[in-house]
């Protein structure tokens, strides 16, 4: 695939945004509101960052506001050149230029086109966490540097400038990850990592390339983390966070909440400690019983999931850290983001999967291009069926909607990508049905409660009139009109 050159419009727009970002650094406290207003003006329809800019701007009046403190900390706590490079790659390339290219591709090919690609450089890992499917593979599966490079090149042709590594433990492939950062300096890279392989040498490389951010997996405090990840893991994580903070490098945390640790992960004490350690974002996942070594007992109860629903929303108004819950935040992203709608997953064997938690595929990167995979039967099943529920607090076709995943897999002819213990999709679904049944009435109650006081006048975020990329108002209005 030949890389597309940027158009004259893209070059001019990119140049303008870069100038604006550099202008910020002269006096960020004074200029942040000005830049937000400028972003709102150039994104009048709210397709890219206009809505987010309006939201942030509304919180910038008070210096004691948590969002103000978070934005300000990006200038006081993060290396200047690293921040500039990441802002440029995220905002200029990933959001504006990439977003426009993605939208064109969606219209042209009539399929999903992702904003991010999640890929596994290796199945190898230096830990053996309880309930982790990747532990089944050992270190047998690896994608070469050339394959990884080709995936990124293909992605950029479609407008994708954000790449996330998982595994296995991606930092087993440190050297290749840094080489990819060097070669694709216009991209932003993130890795879900256990953090134990972050050392002085790698921190120095991160400072040099400037476009790599770790999301350190942590299960709570020492007892909870070491329970799943092994003795000594938590202290290694603390050491890694101390190093990154000292080097003024951005990082976040990745938290899997289970029946054993939900109350800890959702506590103010835990949030405050991670913020104190330097984390700027926290991504939350609920445990999924994938693979032969899965532990269904780790699935959260409906009460625990509701607890996280309220806790994260509460902390968004009080804690200076950006949070995202990939299940409970379905209403903000119109349900499931997998299947190429906002991201897809390529495992270490090259299988192109709709989701990191859905190990079924009808495409492989060694046989098909990314675009061909997006137009394959399995990905088109996602495209046709999303969102999977009008209640966007039930976004997942596996965990929240009984039988939806199984039906799509069977219609598409997709096969299990688990090379060691292929899992029948009906068997997988059966493990999740009890949790789905218990969550359904809770989610329905929360959905009704959270939208009953919404104002319906003057909405300009409906998919039917502005083609927005995230507003839920169209689904809500339909439900309101039916009542």
């Amino acid at each position: 695939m030949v890389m597309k050159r940027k158009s004259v419009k893209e070059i001019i727009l990119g140049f303008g945004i870069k100038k604006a970002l550099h202008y910020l650094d002269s006096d960020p406290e004074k200029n942040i509101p000005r830049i937000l207003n400028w972003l709102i003006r150039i994104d009048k329809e709210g397709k890219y960052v206009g809505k987010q800019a309006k939201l942030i701007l509304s919180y910038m009046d008070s210096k004691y506001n948590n969002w103000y403190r978070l934005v300000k900390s990006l200038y006081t706590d993060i290396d200047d050149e690293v921040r500039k490079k990441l802002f440029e790659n995220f905002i200029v390339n990933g959001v504006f230029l990439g977003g426009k290219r993605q939208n064109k591709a969606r219209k042209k090919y009539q399929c999903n086109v992702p904003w991010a690609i999640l890929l596994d450089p290796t199945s190898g890992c230096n830990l053996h966490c309880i309930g982790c499917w990747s532990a089944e593979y050992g270190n047998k599966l690896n994608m070469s540097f050339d394959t990884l490079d080709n995936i990124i090149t293909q992605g950029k042709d479609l407008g994708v400038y954000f790449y996330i590594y998982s595994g296995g433990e991606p930092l087993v492939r440190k050297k290749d990850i840094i080489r990819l950062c060097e070669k694709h300096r216009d991209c932003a890279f993130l890795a879900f990592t256990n953090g134990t392989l972050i050392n002085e040498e790698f921190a120095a490389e991160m400072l040099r390339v400037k476009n790599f951010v770790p999301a350190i997996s942590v299960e709570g405090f020492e007892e909870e983390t070491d329970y799943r990840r092994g003795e000594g893991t938590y202290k290694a994580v603390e050491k890694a966070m101390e190093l990154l903070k000292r080097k003024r490098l951005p990082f976040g945390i990745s938290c899997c909440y289970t029946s054993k640790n939900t109350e800890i992960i959702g506590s103010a004490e835990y949030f405050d400690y991670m913020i104190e350690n330097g984390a700027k974002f926290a991504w939350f996942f609920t445990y999924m019983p994938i693979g032969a070594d899965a532990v269904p007992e780790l699935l959260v109860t409906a009460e625990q999931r509701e607890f996280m629903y309220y806790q994260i929303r509460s902390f968004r108004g009080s804690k200076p850290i950006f949070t995202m819950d990939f299940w409970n935040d379905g209403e903000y992203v119109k349900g499931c983001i997998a299947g190429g709608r906002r991201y897809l997953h390529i495992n270490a064997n090259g299988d192109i999967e709709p989701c990191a938690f859905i190990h079924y595929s009808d495409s492989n990167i060694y046989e098909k291009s990314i675009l061909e995979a997006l137009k394959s039967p399995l990905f088109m099943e996602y495209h046709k069926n999303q969102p999977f529920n009008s209640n966007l607090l039930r976004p997942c076709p596996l965990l929240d909607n009984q039988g939806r995943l199984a039906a799509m897999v069977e219609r598409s002819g997709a096969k299990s990508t688990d090379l060691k213990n292929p899992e029948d999709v009906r068997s997988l679904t059966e493990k999740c049905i009890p949790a789905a049944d218990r969550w359904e009435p809770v989610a329905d109650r929360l959905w009704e409660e959270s939208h009953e006081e919404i104002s319906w006048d003057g909405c300009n975020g409906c998919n039917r009139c502005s083609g927005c990329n995230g507003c839920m108002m169209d689904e809500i209005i339909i439900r309101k009109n039916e009542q």
Side-chain angles (χ1 to χ4, degrees), residues 145 165 173-185 189 201-202 204-212:
F145 174 87
Y165 298 116
R173 299 282 300 279
K174 284 181 183 180
K175 291 183 178 179
D176 282 336
I177 283 175
I178 293 297
R179 285 179 64 198
L180 290 165
C181 288
E182 290 174 320
K183 183 166 184 180
H184 299 279
R185 297 191 59 77
F189 295 92
E201 181 183 359
F202 188 67
E205 289 290 82
M206 287 175 59
L207 274 172
R208 182 174 65 83
V209 296
K210 302 175 180 60
N211 56 344
F212 177 85

Side-chain angles (χ1 to χ4, degrees), residues 302-315:
E303 293 76 17
Q304 288 174 319
R305 186 163 165 182
E306 182 178 7
F307 168 78
M308 290 299 291
Y309 171 91
Y310 282 117
Q311 289 296 94
I312 291 177
R313 279 162 174 74
S314 172
F315 293 151

Side-chain angles (χ1 to χ4, degrees), residues 182-199:
E182 290 174 320
K183 183 166 184 180
H184 299 279
R185 297 191 59 77
D186 52 352
C187 293
F189 295 92
L190 182 143
F192 291 120
T193 171
N194 60 45
T196 62
L197 299 179
I198 296 174
N199 53 22

